[in-house]
Amino acid sequence: GENVEQHPSTLSVQEGDSAVIKCTYSDSASNYFPWYKQELGKRPQLIIDIRSNVGEKKDQRIAVTLNKTAKHFSLHITETQPEDSAVYFCAGSNDYKLSFGAGTTVTVRA
Amino acid sequence: IAGITQAPTSQILAAGRRMTLRCTQDMRHNAMYWYRQDLGLGLRLIHYSNTAGTTGKGEVPDGYSVSRANTDDFPLTLASAVPSQTSVYFCASSDWVGQPQHFGDGTRLSIL
């Protein structure tokens, strides 16, 4: 099955700086890669996703890049704000099963 | 407001008891999923259902069962709860397999 690894496990950034989270996957057949944001005590919420036929996708301050050859994908958050503080999860899927990374706790320092 | 409703919100249960976690969605999504979330392990798939009437095993299915009698409901049953099943359980749904999954608010379950 798919195995998704996520790094770093914690990330502290100064407000206004950029944050980057990286994930690698094992199954070359995986074709869908969503990112979820989870605030403390809340549900995971989809923030952006990318499919294997696209190399990059952007939505305002958030962007995701995908390198199929190297089997890794990354989340980029620019101009970080305090409300970006949360746990972020990457995931990979080759059909119906989403395999999640262990999560990255992002703290934005004011 | 359309979405996924999970019940109960939280529960403390004695080991050995039977427990059913409820999940209902009103988005007419075909696919539904159950995950457990444990600190440091992310979200792990327990069981899933691609369409009403079908179910499948995920990554950690042992000790759990599901049914999908109709499109809207996808209950998760612990036949005989054990302390290692203490976790936060999330139900999710998607229009079809391979489509974005939307999560419920979760059930916090403690087995003593």
Side-chain angles (χ1 to χ4, degrees):
Chain A
E2 175 66 279
N3 180 45
V4 177
E5 294 190 354
Q6 184 171 347
H7 300 279
S9 57
T10 61
L11 180 60
S12 179
V13 297
Q14 189 70 37
E15 183 178 358
D17 288 349
S18 295
V20 180
I21 303 170
K22 298 181 180 180
C23 290
T24 61
Y25 61 98
S26 61
D27 189 346
S28 57
S30 290
N31 54 20
Y32 175 61
F33 306 92
W35 286 87
Y36 285 84
K37 175 184 179 182
Q38 186 177 29
E39 297 176 355
L40 190 62
K42 303 290 187 180
R43 70 176 75 181
Q45 291 194 303
L46 179 71
I47 55 172
I48 196 167
D49 57 9
I50 192 168
R51 297 196 180 271
S52 58
N53 60 344
V54 176
E56 184 174 357
K57 185 176 179 180
K58 188 174 182 180
D59 183 5
Q60 299 183 352
R61 296 185 298 107
I62 295 173
V64 58
T65 58
L66 172 65
N67 184 325
K68 288 190 295 182
T69 302
K71 289 192 285 188
H72 69 69
F73 55 112
S74 300
L75 178 72
H76 305 254
I77 306 173
T78 59
E79 301 173 18
T80 53
Q81 300 169 6
E83 54 264 37
D84 294 329
S85 294
V87 180
Y88 292 80
F89 293 97
C90 63
S93 171
N94 64 1
D95 191 357
Y96 45 83
K97 296 183 183 180
L98 271 182
S99 295
F100 284 84
T104 297
T105 300
V106 174
T107 303
V108 180
R109 307 187 307 272
Chain B
I1 298 176
I4 299 176
T5 302
Q6 289 187 238
T9 303
S10 64
Q11 182 76 44
I12 299 173
L13 189 68
R17 298 295 296 269
R18 180 184 179 91
M19 177 72 189
T20 296
L21 307 185
R22 300 185 298 278
C23 176
T24 300
Q25 54 101 1
D26 60 4
M27 297 176 283
R28 305 305 293 172
H29 282 173
N30 288 281
M32 297 187 74
Y33 316 84
W34 274 106
Y35 294 90
R36 60 177 290 173
Q37 184 174 36
D38 303 291
L39 194 64
L41 295 176
L43 291 137
R44 293 181 291 169
L45 182 66
I46 305 171
H47 285 288
Y48 65 92
S49 170
N50 291 340
T51 61
T54 69
T55 62
K57 294 182 179 180
E59 182 184 354
V60 288
D62 293 344
Y64 305 95
S65 63
V66 291
S67 61
R68 187 87 183 279
N70 57 61
T71 298
D72 298 342
D73 302 299
F74 191 43
L76 176 74
T77 297
L78 290 67
S80 180
V82 296
S84 61
Q85 292 177 312
T86 293
S87 187
V88 180
Y89 291 86
F90 285 99
C91 179
S93 71
S94 63
D95 193 9
W96 293 100
V97 296
Q99 296 298 310
Q101 294 184 17
H102 303 275
F103 286 78
D105 286 331
T107 294
R108 185 173 297 274
L109 186 62
S110 297
I111 313 297
L112 303 178

Short mmCIF file of all heavy atoms in Angstrom, two decimals, chain A residues 62-97:
data_model
loop_
_atom_site.label_atom_id
_atom_site.label_comp_id
_atom_site.label_asym_id
_atom_site.label_seq_id
_atom_site.Cartn_x
_atom_site.Cartn_y
_atom_site.Cartn_z
N ILE A 62 -1.39 30.05 -0.73
CA ILE A 62 -1.03 28.63 -0.62
C ILE A 62 -0.72 28.07 -1.99
O ILE A 62 -1.43 28.37 -2.97
CB ILE A 62 -2.19 27.84 0.01
CG1 ILE A 62 -2.42 28.30 1.45
CG2 ILE A 62 -1.92 26.35 -0.02
CD1 ILE A 62 -3.66 27.68 2.08
N ALA A 63 0.32 27.27 -2.08
CA ALA A 63 0.67 26.61 -3.33
C ALA A 63 1.15 25.21 -3.04
O ALA A 63 1.68 24.93 -1.95
CB ALA A 63 1.76 27.39 -4.07
N VAL A 64 0.93 24.32 -3.97
CA VAL A 64 1.42 22.95 -3.85
C VAL A 64 2.17 22.61 -5.13
O VAL A 64 1.76 22.99 -6.23
CB VAL A 64 0.27 21.95 -3.58
CG1 VAL A 64 -0.78 22.02 -4.68
CG2 VAL A 64 0.80 20.54 -3.42
N THR A 65 3.31 21.94 -4.96
CA THR A 65 4.09 21.48 -6.10
C THR A 65 4.22 19.97 -6.04
O THR A 65 4.25 19.38 -4.95
CB THR A 65 5.50 22.11 -6.10
OG1 THR A 65 6.17 21.78 -4.87
CG2 THR A 65 5.41 23.63 -6.23
N LEU A 66 4.31 19.34 -7.19
CA LEU A 66 4.39 17.89 -7.28
C LEU A 66 5.52 17.51 -8.22
O LEU A 66 5.61 18.00 -9.34
CB LEU A 66 3.07 17.31 -7.79
CG LEU A 66 3.05 15.82 -8.13
CD1 LEU A 66 3.26 14.98 -6.88
CD2 LEU A 66 1.73 15.46 -8.81
N ASN A 67 6.39 16.61 -7.75
CA ASN A 67 7.45 16.05 -8.58
C ASN A 67 7.22 14.55 -8.65
O ASN A 67 7.56 13.80 -7.73
CB ASN A 67 8.82 16.36 -7.96
CG ASN A 67 9.98 15.89 -8.82
OD1 ASN A 67 9.89 14.86 -9.48
ND2 ASN A 67 11.06 16.63 -8.81
N LYS A 68 6.62 14.11 -9.75
CA LYS A 68 6.28 12.68 -9.88
C LYS A 68 7.51 11.80 -10.00
O LYS A 68 7.52 10.67 -9.53
CB LYS A 68 5.38 12.49 -11.10
CG LYS A 68 3.98 13.02 -10.91
CD LYS A 68 3.07 12.58 -12.05
CE LYS A 68 3.51 13.18 -13.37
NZ LYS A 68 2.62 12.79 -14.49
N THR A 69 8.53 12.31 -10.64
CA THR A 69 9.74 11.51 -10.82
C THR A 69 10.37 11.18 -9.47
O THR A 69 10.76 10.04 -9.21
CB THR A 69 10.75 12.26 -11.69
OG1 THR A 69 10.14 12.55 -12.95
CG2 THR A 69 12.01 11.43 -11.90
N ALA A 70 10.46 12.19 -8.62
CA ALA A 70 11.06 12.01 -7.30
C ALA A 70 10.04 11.52 -6.28
O ALA A 70 10.41 11.21 -5.14
CB ALA A 70 11.69 13.31 -6.83
N LYS A 71 8.79 11.48 -6.63
CA LYS A 71 7.70 11.08 -5.74
C LYS A 71 7.67 11.92 -4.48
O LYS A 71 7.67 11.41 -3.35
CB LYS A 71 7.78 9.58 -5.44
CG LYS A 71 7.42 8.71 -6.65
CD LYS A 71 7.22 7.24 -6.30
CE LYS A 71 8.53 6.57 -6.06
NZ LYS A 71 8.41 5.10 -5.89
N HIS A 72 7.64 13.23 -4.67
CA HIS A 72 7.44 14.09 -3.52
C HIS A 72 6.62 15.31 -3.92
O HIS A 72 6.56 15.69 -5.09
CB HIS A 72 8.75 14.46 -2.83
CG HIS A 72 9.66 15.36 -3.61
ND1 HIS A 72 9.40 16.69 -3.87
CD2 HIS A 72 10.87 15.12 -4.14
CE1 HIS A 72 10.40 17.21 -4.55
NE2 HIS A 72 11.30 16.28 -4.73
N PHE A 73 5.94 15.86 -2.92
CA PHE A 73 5.11 17.04 -3.13
C PHE A 73 5.23 17.94 -1.91
O PHE A 73 5.55 17.46 -0.81
CB PHE A 73 3.65 16.68 -3.44
CG PHE A 73 2.97 15.80 -2.43
CD1 PHE A 73 1.94 16.30 -1.65
CD2 PHE A 73 3.32 14.46 -2.28
CE1 PHE A 73 1.29 15.49 -0.73
CE2 PHE A 73 2.67 13.64 -1.37
CZ PHE A 73 1.65 14.16 -0.59
N SER A 74 5.02 19.21 -2.11
CA SER A 74 5.27 20.19 -1.05
C SER A 74 4.15 21.21 -0.97
O SER A 74 3.53 21.56 -1.97
CB SER A 74 6.59 20.91 -1.29
OG SER A 74 7.68 20.02 -1.32
N LEU A 75 3.95 21.71 0.24
CA LEU A 75 3.00 22.79 0.49
C LEU A 75 3.79 24.04 0.84
O LEU A 75 4.70 23.99 1.67
CB LEU A 75 2.07 22.43 1.65
CG LEU A 75 1.05 23.50 2.07
CD1 LEU A 75 -0.04 23.62 1.01
CD2 LEU A 75 0.44 23.18 3.43
N HIS A 76 3.44 25.13 0.18
CA HIS A 76 4.11 26.40 0.42
C HIS A 76 3.07 27.42 0.90
O HIS A 76 2.06 27.62 0.23
CB HIS A 76 4.77 26.92 -0.86
CG HIS A 76 5.72 25.96 -1.49
ND1 HIS A 76 7.08 26.12 -1.46
CD2 HIS A 76 5.49 24.81 -2.18
CE1 HIS A 76 7.66 25.13 -2.11
NE2 HIS A 76 6.72 24.31 -2.55
N ILE A 77 3.35 28.02 2.04
CA ILE A 77 2.48 29.08 2.54
C ILE A 77 3.31 30.36 2.59
O ILE A 77 4.36 30.40 3.25
CB ILE A 77 1.94 28.77 3.96
CG1 ILE A 77 1.26 27.41 3.99
CG2 ILE A 77 0.96 29.85 4.40
CD1 ILE A 77 0.86 26.96 5.38
N THR A 78 2.88 31.37 1.87
CA THR A 78 3.62 32.64 1.87
C THR A 78 2.93 33.65 2.77
O THR A 78 1.75 33.50 3.12
CB THR A 78 3.69 33.21 0.44
OG1 THR A 78 2.35 33.41 -0.04
CG2 THR A 78 4.41 32.27 -0.50
N GLU A 79 3.72 34.63 3.19
CA GLU A 79 3.20 35.72 4.04
C GLU A 79 2.36 35.17 5.20
O GLU A 79 1.20 35.53 5.40
CB GLU A 79 2.36 36.69 3.20
CG GLU A 79 3.15 37.32 2.06
CD GLU A 79 2.25 38.15 1.14
OE1 GLU A 79 1.14 38.52 1.54
OE2 GLU A 79 2.68 38.42 0.00
N THR A 80 2.96 34.29 5.98
CA THR A 80 2.22 33.60 7.03
C THR A 80 1.60 34.57 8.03
O THR A 80 2.15 35.64 8.33
CB THR A 80 3.13 32.62 7.79
OG1 THR A 80 4.29 33.32 8.23
CG2 THR A 80 3.52 31.45 6.90
N GLN A 81 0.43 34.16 8.53
CA GLN A 81 -0.33 34.96 9.49
C GLN A 81 -0.64 34.09 10.72
O GLN A 81 -0.59 32.86 10.63
CB GLN A 81 -1.62 35.44 8.83
CG GLN A 81 -1.37 36.28 7.59
CD GLN A 81 -2.64 36.54 6.78
OE1 GLN A 81 -3.73 36.18 7.18
NE2 GLN A 81 -2.47 37.19 5.64
N PRO A 82 -0.94 34.70 11.84
CA PRO A 82 -1.24 33.89 13.05
C PRO A 82 -2.30 32.83 12.83
O PRO A 82 -2.21 31.73 13.39
CB PRO A 82 -1.69 34.95 14.06
CG PRO A 82 -0.97 36.19 13.64
CD PRO A 82 -0.93 36.14 12.14
N GLU A 83 -3.27 33.11 11.99
CA GLU A 83 -4.34 32.12 11.75
C GLU A 83 -3.88 30.93 10.93
O GLU A 83 -4.63 29.96 10.75
CB GLU A 83 -5.55 32.78 11.08
CG GLU A 83 -5.23 33.54 9.82
CD GLU A 83 -5.05 35.02 10.07
OE1 GLU A 83 -4.48 35.39 11.13
OE2 GLU A 83 -5.46 35.81 9.20
N ASP A 84 -2.66 30.97 10.43
CA ASP A 84 -2.11 29.81 9.74
C ASP A 84 -1.58 28.77 10.72
O ASP A 84 -1.23 27.65 10.32
CB ASP A 84 -0.96 30.23 8.80
CG ASP A 84 -1.43 31.10 7.65
OD1 ASP A 84 -2.60 30.91 7.22
OD2 ASP A 84 -0.67 31.97 7.21
N SER A 85 -1.50 29.12 11.99
CA SER A 85 -1.04 28.16 13.02
C SER A 85 -2.05 27.02 13.11
O SER A 85 -3.24 27.24 13.35
CB SER A 85 -0.91 28.84 14.37
OG SER A 85 0.12 29.82 14.35
N ALA A 86 -1.57 25.79 12.89
CA ALA A 86 -2.43 24.61 12.87
C ALA A 86 -1.56 23.39 12.59
O ALA A 86 -0.34 23.52 12.42
CB ALA A 86 -3.50 24.73 11.80
N VAL A 87 -2.19 22.24 12.53
CA VAL A 87 -1.51 21.02 12.08
C VAL A 87 -1.91 20.79 10.63
O VAL A 87 -3.10 20.86 10.28
CB VAL A 87 -1.89 19.79 12.93
CG1 VAL A 87 -1.16 18.55 12.41
CG2 VAL A 87 -1.55 20.04 14.39
N TYR A 88 -0.93 20.54 9.79
CA TYR A 88 -1.16 20.32 8.37
C TYR A 88 -0.83 18.87 8.02
O TYR A 88 0.21 18.34 8.44
CB TYR A 88 -0.31 21.26 7.53
CG TYR A 88 -0.73 22.70 7.66
CD1 TYR A 88 -0.34 23.46 8.75
CD2 TYR A 88 -1.55 23.30 6.71
CE1 TYR A 88 -0.73 24.78 8.90
CE2 TYR A 88 -1.95 24.63 6.83
CZ TYR A 88 -1.55 25.35 7.94
OH TYR A 88 -1.95 26.65 8.08
N PHE A 89 -1.72 18.25 7.28
CA PHE A 89 -1.53 16.86 6.86
C PHE A 89 -1.50 16.77 5.34
O PHE A 89 -2.35 17.35 4.66
CB PHE A 89 -2.69 15.97 7.34
CG PHE A 89 -2.76 15.80 8.82
CD1 PHE A 89 -3.60 16.59 9.59
CD2 PHE A 89 -2.00 14.83 9.46
CE1 PHE A 89 -3.68 16.42 10.97
CE2 PHE A 89 -2.07 14.66 10.83
CZ PHE A 89 -2.90 15.46 11.58
N CYS A 90 -0.53 16.03 4.82
CA CYS A 90 -0.54 15.70 3.40
C CYS A 90 -1.11 14.29 3.26
O CYS A 90 -1.17 13.52 4.23
CB CYS A 90 0.86 15.76 2.81
SG CYS A 90 2.04 14.57 3.51
N ALA A 91 -1.52 13.95 2.07
CA ALA A 91 -2.06 12.62 1.82
C ALA A 91 -1.86 12.26 0.36
O ALA A 91 -1.71 13.14 -0.50
CB ALA A 91 -3.55 12.55 2.18
N GLY A 92 -1.83 10.96 0.10
CA GLY A 92 -1.72 10.47 -1.27
C GLY A 92 -2.72 9.38 -1.52
O GLY A 92 -3.09 8.63 -0.60
N SER A 93 -3.17 9.26 -2.75
CA SER A 93 -4.19 8.28 -3.09
C SER A 93 -4.01 7.80 -4.52
O SER A 93 -3.74 8.61 -5.41
CB SER A 93 -5.58 8.88 -2.94
OG SER A 93 -6.57 8.02 -3.47
N ASN A 94 -4.15 6.49 -4.72
CA ASN A 94 -4.13 5.97 -6.09
C ASN A 94 -5.50 5.47 -6.50
O ASN A 94 -5.67 4.96 -7.58
CB ASN A 94 -3.10 4.85 -6.23
CG ASN A 94 -3.44 3.64 -5.37
OD1 ASN A 94 -4.45 3.63 -4.68
ND2 ASN A 94 -2.60 2.63 -5.41
N ASP A 95 -6.47 5.60 -5.64
CA ASP A 95 -7.84 5.21 -5.98
C ASP A 95 -8.78 5.77 -4.92
O ASP A 95 -9.11 6.94 -4.96
CB ASP A 95 -7.96 3.69 -6.06
CG ASP A 95 -9.26 3.25 -6.66
OD1 ASP A 95 -10.10 4.14 -6.97
OD2 ASP A 95 -9.51 2.05 -6.83
N TYR A 96 -9.16 4.98 -4.00
CA TYR A 96 -10.12 5.44 -3.02
C TYR A 96 -9.52 5.58 -1.62
O TYR A 96 -10.11 6.19 -0.75
CB TYR A 96 -11.29 4.48 -2.94
CG TYR A 96 -10.85 3.03 -2.91
CD1 TYR A 96 -10.47 2.44 -1.71
CD2 TYR A 96 -10.78 2.27 -4.07
CE1 TYR A 96 -10.04 1.14 -1.67
CE2 TYR A 96 -10.34 0.97 -4.03
CZ TYR A 96 -9.98 0.40 -2.84
OH TYR A 96 -9.54 -0.89 -2.81
N LYS A 97 -8.34 5.02 -1.42
CA LYS A 97 -7.76 5.06 -0.08
C LYS A 97 -6.78 6.22 0.02
O LYS A 97 -5.79 6.27 -0.71
CB LYS A 97 -7.03 3.76 0.21
CG LYS A 97 -7.92 2.54 0.26
CD LYS A 97 -7.10 1.31 0.62
CE LYS A 97 -7.95 0.07 0.60
NZ LYS A 97 -7.17 -1.14 0.95
#
